[in-house]
Amino acid sequence: MEDIIHDTIYESILEGDRATATAGVEQALEAGLDPDVILQEGMIAAMKEVGRRFEEGDYFVPEMLIAARAMQSGLAVLKPHLVDSDIKPAGTVAVGTVKGDLHDIGKNLVAMMLEGAGFVIHDLGTDVAPEAFVAAIEENGVDVVALSALLTTTMPSMEATVKAIDAAGLRNQVKIIVGGAPVTQDYAERIGADGFAPDASSAVTVTESLLA
């Protein structure tokens, strides 16, 4: 039975094979395997390997995207069973591209990689106003807010969002991470963010470390 998890689910995610990932999860569930084992040893383990390969330069953004999509296909089948077995998520993250910015590829990849690492994701989309991030914290019990900006002209929206969260009295409840092509560690520190992630793989590492 472990062959289904490793040889089918794990390998199909690494290869970005959505159909096989989905079929593998269905097969594992039919065989009576624990949904948490399928998630941890099949999907999360595969996405960790994807992140490792990306960091070592063996995978690039396209490979990460197709692997993440394969993981999501399998996860769609697994999710109802995870709910039934009351498995606790790694944390809850609100992800969004800040106000004025319509870029979504980086944000989508961060959301998929975090989901692959066992986090519950609230994807707020693009052009997200500071008030919408505040509402997400209030309504969804969010642990981490992940802000994306791909333009230097929209970076000030990141600072405005941090200030809005602070003004709402919620700053101590959440960790804030920022990322995107023009964003730097120095800028993250300047606006009072808790972490900076230069890419989707490091976004997972930074989020995990902030919640550890």
Side-chain angles (χ1 to χ4, degrees):
M1 291 304 158
E2 291 298 316
D3 291 348
I4 302 173
I5 290 177
H6 188 273
D7 296 346
T8 306
I9 299 170
Y10 180 93
E11 290 296 334
S12 65
I13 289 172
L14 290 186
E15 292 164 11
D17 185 341
R18 294 167 75 171
T20 303
T22 304
V25 172
E26 289 170 346
Q27 188 182 356
L29 289 169
E30 285 167 10
L33 291 177
D34 187 325
D36 190 40
V37 173
I38 298 169
L39 176 69
Q40 297 290 340
E41 296 181 15
M43 297 179 163
I44 291 178
M47 293 309 291
K48 280 185 176 169
E49 176 62 12
V50 169
R52 187 192 69 77
R53 292 186 186 187
F54 176 80
E55 285 163 13
E56 293 194 356
D58 295 327
Y59 271 21
F60 299 95
V61 169
E63 287 89 351
M64 284 180 80
L65 269 171
I66 62 167
R69 285 174 182 150
M71 176 275 301
Q72 282 197 314
S73 295
L75 195 57
V77 176
L78 190 63
K79 263 183 181 173
H81 301 273
L82 291 172
V83 172
D84 292 344
S85 59
D86 197 30
I87 293 163
K88 295 225 178 330
T92 303
V93 185
V95 182
T97 306
V98 294
K99 187 163 182 61
D101 202 318
L102 298 172
H103 292 87
D104 69 351
I105 292 176
K107 182 267 299 173
N108 291 348
L109 188 49
V110 166
M112 287 191 285
M113 290 294 287
L114 284 169
E115 189 172 29
F119 290 90
V120 172
I121 303 300
H122 293 279
D123 189 340
L124 306 184
T126 63
D127 192 23
V128 183
E131 305 78 50
F133 284 107
V134 170
I137 298 166
E138 292 174 335
E139 294 164 14
N140 300 309
V142 169
D143 302 304
V144 177
V145 174
L147 309 176
S148 174
L150 268 290
L151 303 169
T152 52
T153 51
T154 58
M155 284 169 63
S157 292
M158 286 184 159
E159 185 172 15
T161 301
V162 174
K163 286 180 176 175
I165 292 169
D166 194 19
L170 301 169
R171 187 65 187 90
N172 292 334
Q173 294 181 30
V174 294
K175 300 294 186 182
I176 299 173
I177 66 168
V178 296
V183 183
T184 62
Q185 178 69 48
D186 179 62
Y187 183 74
E189 292 170 4
R190 203 158 71 240
I191 66 171
D194 299 294
F196 161 67
D199 53 61
S201 178
S202 58
V204 174
T205 307
V206 171
T207 301
E208 288 175 338
S209 67
L210 286 173
L211 295 181

